[in-house]
Amino acid sequence: MSEPTEIPQRLRVVVADDQAAVREPLAAVLGLSEDIDVVAAAADGSEVLAAVAAGPVDVVLMDLRMPVMDGIEATRRLGEEYPEVAVVVLTTFADDDSVLGALSAGARGYLTKNAGRQDITRAIRAAAAGQSVLDREVQDRLLAAVRTMAPTPGQGLPEDLTPREREVLTLIGQGLPNRGIAEKLFISEATVKTHINNLFAKAGIRDRADAVRRAIEAGLT
């Protein structure tokens, strides 16, 4: 995994939701953040693509159930046409099809609509930096879905992973953030980031959601 991309001084965000009663207040609240500019509001996936084409855009805060083009298809299209734009899903739905569909399409974050403003802005900043943030309920569903694959301990991991890198991957699979991993292993957060960068590079792991999946498939959690 490469180093997280540098975050622009102010993040340019598109808010997508088919309900104006949700979309407009959310855009207004996010606009109060000192490092976020809401550059467009979209009512469906086609409007998202048009807003990104008019750009520049750093992050799209994406609803899933929208007319014309839904959020999963819009996320997939963004990944193909504008891979530099990060997607954070913000939706009412946390069923397996929605979660796995959005993450497979390339979403970097997934929050449910009970998330607070701080949770949403934190996820936007993380996505802009190339990191993933998953709502706890979403992470639990992802863990449950992958566990149905009957993992074999150690399966599918490179042989050159160090014992410490395996420990870090195990703790990521358990849902711990970098700070929690550092406290658990009695090391600094900077050292945790180094181990994560190394194991992501060795194992070809794309992001934190992919790391959770790989940890479970390998029977580490």
Side-chain angles (χ1 to χ4, degrees):
M1 175 182 169
S2 59
E3 291 291 331
T5 55
E6 183 178 352
I7 304 177
Q9 189 171 10
R10 291 185 66 84
L11 297 173
R12 297 155 296 200
V13 175
V14 172
V15 174
D17 196 293
D18 64 327
Q19 298 182 45
V22 174
R23 182 176 68 246
E24 293 172 4
L26 180 57
V29 168
L30 290 177
L32 298 175
S33 301
E34 62 181 13
D35 60 342
I36 292 176
D37 284 328
V38 177
V39 297
D44 59 61
S46 63
E47 291 187 10
V48 169
L49 294 177
V52 171
V57 172
D58 301 302
V59 180
V60 175
L61 191 61
M62 185 84 77
D63 189 21
L64 291 186
R65 307 289 173 87
M66 297 185 292
V68 184
M69 181 188 297
D70 67 24
I72 291 177
E73 177 61 17
T75 299
R76 186 188 65 78
R77 291 275 298 274
L78 286 173
E80 293 175 351
E81 300 173 26
Y82 305 97
E84 72 281 4
V85 177
V87 173
V88 174
V89 170
L90 179 65
T91 182
T92 304
F93 306 97
D95 57 280
D96 292 351
D97 288 344
S98 296
V99 172
L100 296 176
L103 295 178
S104 297
R108 283 191 195 159
Y110 197 116
L111 302 176
T112 55
K113 285 184 177 176
N114 59 5
R117 174 188 168 191
Q118 288 187 339
D119 295 324
I120 296 170
T121 55
R122 187 182 304 116
I124 288 172
R125 293 175 188 127
Q131 301 166 355
S132 296
V133 173
L134 302 179
D135 183 277
R136 185 68 203 187
E137 179 184 357
V138 170
Q139 183 162 285
D140 288 345
R141 283 187 172 275
L142 181 60
L143 292 173
V146 179
R147 282 195 175 109
T148 64
M149 298 177 183
T152 301
Q155 178 182 11
L157 294 178
E159 294 182 359
D160 62 343
L161 283 188
T162 66
R164 180 64 90 190
E165 288 163 358
R166 285 176 178 268
E167 282 183 303
V168 170
L169 182 57
T170 297
L171 295 174
I172 290 174
Q174 293 174 1
L176 270 67
N178 287 2
R179 179 177 298 178
I181 295 172
E183 292 173 353
K184 187 83 171 178
L185 299 179
F186 301 102
I187 57 179
S188 69
E189 284 190 65
T191 301
V192 171
K193 290 178 182 178
T194 297
H195 288 311
I196 289 174
N197 286 341
N198 290 340
L199 78 88
F200 277 30
K202 289 178 183 179
I205 295 173
R206 299 187 305 275
D207 52 35
R208 213 170 185 93
D210 191 32
V212 172
R213 178 183 64 80
R214 292 288 296 276
I216 299 168
E217 287 179 346
L220 297 180
T221 185

